[in-house]
Amino acid sequence: MRYFRINKILLLAALLLLAACTPRSIILSIPPDINSKIAEANASVCAYKGRVSVIYDNGKEDVRFKGLLNKDCKDNFRLKILGFFNTVAYDVRYTDGVVEAYEKGEDVSLEMDYFMRSKGLDNMVSLIRYPHVKIDNSFKVKAVMNEYILTKGPVTVAAGQDFLINSITFGSTSFTYSYTDGKLTQLVYKDADTSVEIKLR
């Protein structure tokens, strides 16, 4: 009886281990309206208001900061870069290419303008546009494991079973997206020389 009970426990443990190792379900068929489903699930977003965390690396420079961002669809923005204890270290406004910045009430616009242009800060903020490729019926679609793979010329888009875009690649350039409860929380941009990781909260 004891031997039987031990074997039963071992069998249960083995089943639980196998269940934990089982990959996500494989896509077996493609809906006829897959392109419109993906387009609908990834509605275009160009404005953003909330917390951001940015890591920028071009092999020579590594820039990291956290802040509060209010960005419109013209890529104008106000960014409060946070320092120790979440105090505002810099208050930056970027309007039609003109930089206005303050550090503890002191005008540091010229220094910030140089910093933004040399480090590509304005381009980092403009990356917060989503999606970076618009899906339409001109894309070819196939299913690979648990993703829909859409291709059009040099562009490849991977979307999950929830139709949210996981990645976009063209040449040496790629965008990778992460979600929490269906909401975009991180995007990573990479090209031959640069990597930018942006967390949205």
Side-chain angles (χ1 to χ4, degrees):
M1 180 69 83
R2 186 179 175 187
Y3 175 77
F4 176 74
R5 188 177 297 163
I6 290 172
N7 278 350
K8 191 174 179 182
I9 291 170
L10 289 174
L11 179 62
L12 181 60
L15 288 172
L16 288 172
L17 183 61
L18 285 172
C21 296
T22 302
R24 286 179 287 178
S25 58
I26 295 172
I27 296 173
L28 299 176
S29 62
I30 300 172
D33 58 345
I34 182 65
N35 299 68
S36 59
K37 283 182 180 295
I38 292 175
E40 183 180 342
N42 299 275
S44 179
V45 174
C46 56
Y48 175 77
K49 185 176 183 179
R51 286 183 171 269
V52 293
S53 174
V54 177
I55 300 174
Y56 167 87
D57 184 6
N58 66 2
K60 299 177 182 177
E61 297 171 310
D62 187 324
V63 178
R64 298 165 184 251
F65 65 87
K66 294 181 180 180
L68 302 172
L69 176 65
N70 188 353
K71 170 192 172 301
D72 67 18
C73 289
K74 295 181 180 179
D75 288 345
N76 296 318
F77 62 84
R78 183 177 185 182
L79 173 64
K80 294 182 179 181
I81 299 176
L82 302 177
F84 292 114
F85 306 112
N86 286 328
T87 58
V88 177
Y90 295 94
D91 189 351
V92 184
R93 291 180 186 269
Y94 183 82
T95 308
D96 297 329
V98 177
V99 177
E100 183 182 349
Y102 293 89
E103 179 186 13
K104 296 179 181 177
E106 180 182 350
D107 191 334
V108 291
S109 299
L110 289 177
E111 296 93 324
M112 184 57 71
D113 181 64
Y114 172 76
F115 175 81
M116 286 179 60
R117 297 186 194 286
S118 64
K119 311 297 186 189
L121 179 60
D122 49 341
N123 291 327
M124 289 183 224
V125 172
S126 70
L127 286 174
I128 306 177
R129 282 179 170 266
Y130 181 80
H132 292 89
V133 167
K134 186 176 180 181
I135 302 301
D136 57 29
N137 290 327
S138 62
F139 280 81
K140 296 178 181 177
V141 186
K142 63 181 179 180
V144 178
M145 298 301 288
N146 61 347
E147 287 187 314
Y148 299 105
I149 305 299
L150 298 88
T151 56
K152 179 180 179 181
V155 179
T156 300
V157 179
Q161 296 180 36
D162 55 5
F163 307 119
L164 293 173
I165 293 175
N166 295 328
S167 65
I168 298 170
T169 58
F170 43 96
S172 62
T173 301
S174 69
F175 293 91
T176 306
Y177 307 97
S178 300
Y179 306 87
T180 300
D181 297 327
K183 184 177 180 182
L184 181 68
T185 52
Q186 177 179 283
L187 66 90
V188 178
Y189 165 84
K190 289 185 179 181
D191 63 18
D193 306 308
T194 306
S195 172
V196 183
E197 177 185 309
I198 302 174
K199 292 183 179 179
L200 309 174
R201 299 174 188 173

